[in-house]
Amino acid sequence: MTDLPTLDPARPVRLLVVDFTAAGDGTATGELKSSILFGLDDMPIMQVSAAADRLAYGFPNDAPELRHAACFEDLLAQLDWFAPTIILARPTAEHEHLWLLALALRARFDAPLLVWIMDDWLSVMEDAAQSTVFEESLTKVLRSTGSGLSICDEMSAAFGDRFGVSFTAIANGIDPTGEFSRFSARMSDPDEPFVFRYAGALAHNMGVDTLETVAHAVHRLRRAGLNVCFELKTRGFWLEKEGARFRGLEGVQATESNLARAPYLSWLSEADCNLICYNFSDDTQRYVRYSLANKLPELLGVGAPVLGIGPANLPTLARIRDLGAGFHLSNPRPDAIERCLQDIVEQRSRLKDVAERGRHIAEVRFNLEDVRTRFRQALLKALGDHSPAGEHAIPQLVSAAAGFDRSVLPIDLETIAQAVPPLRAPGRIDSPPSLRATHRSGDQIADEQGPPRPTTGEASRFGVGDGAPLTRPEDRPATVPVSLPVPPRSTAGLPLRIDRSGNRPRPWLAPLVSAATAFSTSARERARSAGLIGAAASTSTPGDTAAYQSAPDTQISALGGGGIEAHEGGGLTVRRQGAAPVDHAEIRPMLTNTVSAIRLDITDVRGKAEITANGEMLASIMRPGIVEVSFRQPRPLDRILVRCLNSMEAKVDIGSITYLESVQL
């Protein structure tokens, strides 16, 4: 892929994304950002997102899914080091503080602020006064930038008229030569249950009412003798809130799931038909009238037929209908939905042709590289149209922030907005960030599989609707001590290479202000001579530096119903054997020195895993890759706890664990 061109060599493209959902967090908008941003391999990208009651930052095309919660002072230090030249913000009514932060950072760096709107949330805000404040603020920013981003052509046209600027549609896509190359349309097996599948939210202003109608239709069809099932996977929040709608229905199973991407796509590909559903209510139509489902390209790309149910005027239903990409139904009556499902089941022999057409449409009309090209062009247009505000930057901030509650940010807006002198060398390679990771390519995890399709015998046991497994887990003893083989010893320095094509340095990755320490000349030169892109300093003794050393003696034990397997040559597998969110494995390293960092090679994840040490969360893991966490101060390390989350069949494979100990050079 060619480098993204810049307009001015003295001011390269450095993109800051301000959006409450983090890239790659499993949400629809998080996965959309991950798909687009991760492909911009040579563009420096930083994201600020929400993390409970704090803010978090990450680098989406260097450390997907990994975020670091930071105090506001550390966050500003990271932002000043990164020195963005363009800011992309996705404002929402529930996160005013992030919109105010984006406004203040626009003034701080005198950078263009490009707005991305993905649904018409302004139209469904209950507080009319707040809606007016937001709309006036958005109008000022959009007209100052001269352009914006939408999610589809319908939204671009409507919002272009509404705000008086041009919008570019940036929606989800697939890479037909990458992770989707392993999928092809398959023939539905008439001897097995016909499986409809749905993955996503159960929101009242989206599709939960129609999904419930589908579930009751499947229940009636099964009672009438049709061999059909309906599987729903959603987040725990939605299952707790809306799961009761699907309990007690024969052939229907609603479960909590947070599958990693590869098994998620495999699960969709094994469906006989995947669903996209919208309610027929006025609230839903007003909310999504200009929205295109992020999941549509993926559902088409996995090679299974798609059925869209909802009002005919919605963009997603219009795409399916106009492109001939699958089945569509715009009749809300329960008997019509039941007849539609029955017709699809009874014509299963010709569904392969429907699926093949859908895959072709996804490759041609929703090609991810085309989406990235439009995204690049939109960034460059905003940069090219930008006129520095100079002394007018803060007055523009005050005007755009009028009417908002400024107390939602811990630091005064004008203080944040004060321009900072440019760093001597923004992004110099003096220190690594506190958190880094790599992301395995689709080819490396192509063999991962999601939960299996139900067999004929298992299908009859559906109906619990409460996430109960179809087979009983094997009983295991409560504690199983085993020896963890010692990983290979690293050689010189701190191996902080990003394991991506060419191991290119990422000089825009900054250290925490509280963790940045001076490097000795010998330590820095030793790291660089070893071909490394960073080195870390220990504060224990002047002149010390940190170097990777493997664990000399490590014991692991199963906890809380967890299952443990040791690997030959290093590593372990932790399996979840119960529903309770407890720790499932304990790793006790027998270390004599303090530890500055931990490096984990995660080779496989099913569901989600959390890693903690000494009571502190180290990482939340949803995908395979290298996870590296450094501590602000070297510390003794007593034990590491592994917890598998969100799925009865969750597991995490840890290929190796290495520790960064303080050693004298």
Side-chain angles (χ1 to χ4, degrees):
M1 185 180 67
T2 59
D3 292 350
L4 179 72
T6 60
L7 298 181
D8 181 355
R11 191 176 185 181
V13 178
R14 290 193 296 274
L15 173 64
L16 171 66
V17 180
V18 181
D19 186 341
F20 80 98
T21 62
D25 69 350
T27 64
T29 56
E31 290 302 309
L32 168 61
K33 290 191 293 288
S34 178
S35 295
I36 296 174
L37 300 180
F38 189 76
L40 304 176
D41 194 47
D42 295 322
M43 183 196 299
I45 303 175
M46 179 178 179
Q47 183 183 0
V48 175
S49 57
D53 58 345
R54 304 183 72 186
L55 295 177
Y57 68 87
F59 301 90
N61 59 353
D62 284 289
E65 296 97 31
L66 293 180
R67 296 181 294 162
H68 188 84
C71 66
F72 215 80
E73 291 77 9
D74 270 346
L75 177 62
L76 286 179
Q78 290 282 347
L79 289 166
D80 289 343
W81 185 291
F82 185 76
T85 60
I86 183 169
I87 301 170
L88 174 65
R90 185 171 75 92
T92 59
E94 296 80 10
H95 296 85
E96 288 186 6
H97 63 303
L98 285 176
W99 176 243
L100 290 177
L101 177 62
L103 294 176
L105 295 177
R106 177 179 70 155
R108 185 180 187 90
F109 300 106
D110 202 353
L113 176 55
L114 188 61
V115 175
W116 196 357
I117 304 177
M118 297 188 186
D119 46 57
D120 195 3
W121 52 271
L122 280 170
S123 297
V124 296
M125 289 180 65
E126 296 180 356
D127 188 331
Q130 183 193 33
S131 177
T132 299
V133 168
F134 248 120
E135 183 140 3
E136 290 177 351
S137 181
L138 285 170
T139 300
K140 292 173 182 176
V141 171
L142 285 164
R143 291 183 178 175
S144 172
T145 306
S147 60
L149 300 182
S150 73
I151 198 68
C152 63
D153 293 338
E154 290 88 341
M155 180 180 284
S156 291
F159 281 17
D161 294 339
R162 188 170 178 175
F163 293 105
V165 299
S166 63
F167 279 80
T168 300
I170 302 294
N172 202 10
I174 69 163
D175 179 2
T177 63
E179 61 182 344
F180 284 85
S181 62
R182 62 189 174 105
F183 298 114
S184 60
R186 65 177 184 84
M187 183 68 72
S188 180
D189 187 347
D191 296 327
E192 296 294 332
F194 190 100
V195 181
F196 290 98
R197 282 179 171 167
Y198 170 83
L202 303 178
H204 71 90
N205 60 352
M206 294 289 286
V208 68
D209 296 337
T210 297
L211 287 167
E212 183 180 9
T213 302
V214 170
H216 281 275
V218 168
H219 173 78
R220 290 191 298 271
L221 290 171
R222 280 192 61 83
R223 288 290 180 92
L226 194 65
N227 194 8
V228 59
C229 300
F230 182 29
E231 299 179 0
L232 302 91
K233 287 192 178 295
T234 189
R235 288 177 171 255
F237 167 81
W238 293 116
L239 194 63
E240 181 178 349
K241 185 176 181 180
E242 304 289 353
R245 295 180 182 233
F246 306 96
R247 294 196 184 106
L249 299 177
E250 186 175 337
V252 177
Q253 186 185 55
T255 58
E256 178 183 350
S257 176
N258 198 349
L259 289 174
R261 182 167 176 80
Y264 162 73
L265 294 176
S266 296
W267 182 75
L268 292 175
S269 73
E270 288 295 317
D272 291 297
C273 185
N274 288 306
L275 299 183
I276 297 179
C277 292
Y278 293 104
N279 301 333
F280 290 84
S281 65
D282 292 340
D283 285 346
T284 295
Q285 294 189 62
R286 187 165 57 250
Y287 181 53
V288 297
R289 57 182 171 171
Y290 303 133
S291 297
L292 184 68
N294 280 312
K295 69 181 71 175
L296 177 59
E298 296 176 347
L299 296 186
L300 296 173
V302 296
V306 174
L307 167 61
I309 304 177
N313 62 317
L314 298 183
T316 302
L317 271 292
R319 292 297 185 283
I320 296 174
R321 179 186 66 245
D322 297 343
L323 296 175
F327 301 100
H328 57 91
L329 177 67
S330 296
N331 189 333
R333 291 175 51 184
D335 60 333
I337 291 176
E338 183 176 338
R339 284 197 306 272
C340 176
L341 300 181
Q342 182 174 356
D343 288 345
I344 291 175
V345 174
E346 291 178 347
Q347 59 178 317
R348 64 192 304 169
S349 61
R350 58 178 290 264
L351 294 185
K352 184 177 181 181
D353 293 338
V354 178
E356 286 180 343
R357 176 171 173 78
R359 255 191 65 78
H360 175 72
I361 289 171
E363 293 177 0
V364 174
R365 299 297 294 269
F366 299 103
N367 191 293
L368 189 56
E369 194 54 42
D370 295 337
V371 177
R372 289 175 181 149
T373 297
R374 291 196 302 273
F375 185 75
R376 292 185 186 101
Q377 292 171 342
L379 293 181
L380 291 176
K381 181 181 186 305
L383 278 168
D385 294 343
H386 178 61
S387 298
E391 61 183 13
H392 301 294
I394 291 184
Q396 287 181 0
L397 164 66
V398 172
S399 176
F404 287 99
D405 178 9
R406 295 186 173 202
S407 66
V408 296
L409 286 177
I411 299 179
D412 182 73
L413 279 180
E414 282 83 352
T415 301
I416 302 173
Q418 292 293 333
V420 293
L423 296 174
R424 174 181 58 82
R428 56 190 183 275
I429 316 175
D430 284 351
S431 176
S434 61
L435 195 59
R436 313 192 83 177
T438 62
H439 174 56
R440 299 192 188 281
S441 69
D443 293 338
Q444 292 173 290
I445 52 178
D447 294 332
E448 291 188 22
Q449 297 298 319
R453 290 170 49 85
T455 64
T456 301
E458 291 168 337
S460 65
R461 299 167 60 184
F462 278 30
V464 293
D466 57 0
L470 297 178
T471 56
R472 180 179 177 181
E474 178 185 357
D475 294 330
R476 293 177 182 268
T479 302
V480 186
V482 297
S483 176
L484 180 66
V486 178
R489 180 178 297 274
S490 299
T491 53
L494 210 177
L496 286 178
R497 299 185 190 181
I498 296 293
D499 295 334
R500 299 272 293 279
S501 176
N503 288 325
R504 285 181 295 277
R506 298 305 203 260
W508 49 83
L509 297 176
L512 285 172
V513 65
S514 55
T517 54
F519 293 90
S520 67
T521 301
S522 61
R524 183 161 53 244
E525 292 305 317
R526 180 170 176 171
R528 287 177 177 170
S529 66
L532 310 175
I533 69 168
S538 166
T539 57
S540 57
T541 306
D544 280 6
T545 190
Y548 263 114
Q549 293 184 336
S550 56
D553 186 13
T554 301
Q555 296 291 324
I556 63 173
S557 302
L559 299 174
I564 298 293
E565 300 174 11
H567 295 175
E568 291 186 8
L572 72 154
T573 297
V574 181
R575 296 182 183 274
R576 175 175 177 159
Q577 298 296 324
V582 295
D583 297 315
H584 297 107
E586 177 186 81
I587 303 170
R588 284 190 173 270
M590 309 304 177
L591 302 173
T592 57
N593 297 329
T594 58
V595 175
S596 297
I598 300 175
R599 189 174 192 263
L600 305 170
D601 181 4
I602 308 299
T603 58
D604 187 23
V605 181
R606 304 290 172 89
K608 182 179 180 181
E610 289 182 350
I611 311 293
T612 61
N614 295 4
E616 178 181 351
M617 166 78 88
L618 297 184
S620 176
I621 301 168
M622 291 185 288
R623 295 187 185 180
I626 303 298
V627 176
E628 187 171 290
V629 185
S630 61
F631 303 117
R632 296 189 178 189
Q633 298 291 336
R635 66 184 66 181
L637 192 63
D638 176 47
R639 62 177 182 163
I640 301 171
L641 295 173
V642 182
R643 176 181 297 179
C644 297
L645 301 173
N646 298 336
S647 172
M648 294 291 291
E649 302 177 9
K651 75 168 185 175
V652 56
D653 286 336
I654 303 176
S656 65
I657 305 175
T658 51
Y659 307 94
L660 191 67
E661 295 187 78
S662 299
V663 294
Q664 183 74 37
L665 289 182

